[in-house]
Amino acid sequence: MVLFVVMLFLVNANFMEAPANTITYSAFTDISNGISTRIVDTYAIAPVTGNITSKFDIPDDIAGRGYFVEIGNNADINLADQAVTVSRGAIVANVAIAGIGSTRKAGGNTTGAGVNMISYSSEGFPS
């Protein structure tokens, strides 16, 4: 009976949680890449004067649970390093905002729920 209880805990941790965490990390990386690309695309077509807004949808949940998205410089090590960070608990995926990291400041946060939006204003946004 003791062996059965020990095996039950080991099976859950090794055969169920580990693959789910691996798939979740891969999904977070894909979401980070997609958001980074959308930010760069918005910057590429941004007007010299004016505003532009892009709405997009990302998965509501990954492996049956929600997650958070942070955009900007989260580490505060180098202000030019900006990234899209998708996380839930100990699972974290960071992807650099390629191409605009040192020229434009990007920032914000969201979750997977609902429709999300990227906005650009030539006048900037209040801090």
Side-chain angles (χ1 to χ4, degrees), residues 28-84:
F28 285 178
T29 302
D30 290 343
I31 292 167
S32 298
N33 281 322
I35 293 173
S36 175
T37 301
R38 286 182 180 98
I39 291 171
V40 172
D41 289 348
T42 302
Y43 170 73
I45 63 171
V48 175
T49 57
N51 304 323
I52 188 168
T53 299
S54 172
K55 293 183 180 180
F56 63 96
D57 194 22
I58 53 179
D60 290 341
D61 56 38
I62 302 295
R65 294 174 39 199
Y67 56 93
F68 298 101
V69 178
E70 296 282 334
I71 300 166
N73 185 348
N74 299 325
D76 291 329
I77 297 168
N78 182 355
L79 294 178
D81 292 338
Q82 296 185 74
V84 177

Side-chain angles (χ1 to χ4, degrees), residues 74-100:
N74 299 325
D76 291 329
I77 297 168
N78 182 355
L79 294 178
D81 292 338
Q82 296 185 74
V84 177
T85 304
V86 179
S87 64
R88 174 179 65 216
I91 305 170
V92 178
N94 289 308
V95 172
I97 301 176
I100 68 163

Side-chain angles (χ1 to χ4, degrees), residues 3-13:
L3 180 62
F4 178 72
V5 171
V6 169
M7 289 301 293
L8 184 65
F9 287 125
L10 290 175
V11 165
N12 184 41

